[in-house]
Amino acid sequence: MAQNLYGPRVRMGNWNEDIYLEEEIMKDFLEKRDKGQLLIQRNRILKENLLRPMQLSVTEDGYVHCGDKVMLVNPSYPETEADWCLGGDLSLCVTPDEITAHLSDELQVPCGLSAAQTRIPVGRNTFIVLSADRNAMGQVLRYGQNFCLAITGGFEGRMLYLSSDHRTLLKSSKKSWLQEVYLTDEASYLNCWQVAFLDPQLHLEYEGLPVPANAKVLINHCHTNRGLAAHRHLFLSTYFGKEAEVAAHTDLDSHRVEKPRNHWMLVTGNPRKDSSTMLDVPKPQAEDTRALEQDTRAPEQGADPGAQ
């Protein structure tokens, strides 16, 4: 019967190399931890920057200006073409690739986008309105004017631009296979967009007029003439959970009018509170609603004396 002739203190094999290897692994780990290069540290830095609270610009005249920080929100509407969809207001957000998000502490280009159910301005959904030549800071944005939408993602010293291009067999949106919308750090004509009035019959009449803030408008890509659209019925499993797909596609109804998935609002900050937007301000009562209430109250007031 075989017996173990070696005691616990006996060292066998390449014991000396194993000891040095363990020491080198520990030194490498401690060095990366001190420099913040561990994967968990990179992941935490990226997440903190993307979810960093941001302050939106407050408009004084009710219009959007070049240089303003805004949120792009697809307002809520009843979806009738699909059984399952994301409800509520959806904001355009940066969506890094889930694999690269765990390996890097900064945004990799090209970077994807999605529409998320959030109304809080953070680093991943706060965009900066820029003119096409980048020199018209402070001027009012007008219908039909070329402009760019840039985002920092909570980082400093880096600007990414909302871009799009014609779809190909190798480049299209993930779910609908339509024209892709992405972020890039290269400034080109693919970054240019235009704001159009909601009613297609009044596009030419409103061209050149100031763009109102917090109002429904259309945002069209200059190079491809496709409208920015939020597909609430197409879900994406992102780094931050389930969100909706965003693509460049003009959805028209039977009257050749853009559907609500092409409607967007350039939301500004609320002057009353530092952490809220104009979406949190209660809407005033409509004039027709007030008139209807007065009409319904009048017969009731006239019927009381007769009843007595």
Side-chain angles (χ1 to χ4, degrees), residues 54-92:
M54 303 292 288
Q55 179 65 36
L56 300 180
S57 302
V58 178
T59 175
E60 298 179 356
D61 53 2
Y63 299 117
V64 180
H65 301 77
C66 295
D68 287 352
K69 294 183 178 180
V70 299
M71 288 174 54
L72 270 70
V73 176
N74 178 243
S76 177
Y77 65 92
E79 181 65 59
T80 59
E81 299 181 3
D83 297 332
W84 299 96
C85 64
L86 289 181
D89 297 332
L90 301 184
S91 62
L92 185 65

Side-chain angles (χ1 to χ4, degrees), residues 267-279:
V267 179
T268 57
N270 184 6
R272 302 176 185 176
K273 299 180 181 179
D274 295 337
S275 59
S276 62
T277 66
M278 291 300 294
L279 295 175

Side-chain angles (χ1 to χ4, degrees), residues 124-137:
R124 67 184 297 243
N125 64 0
T126 302
F127 288 82
I128 305 174
V129 179
L130 300 175
S131 60
D133 54 1
R134 313 293 195 273
N135 296 325
M137 301 298 291

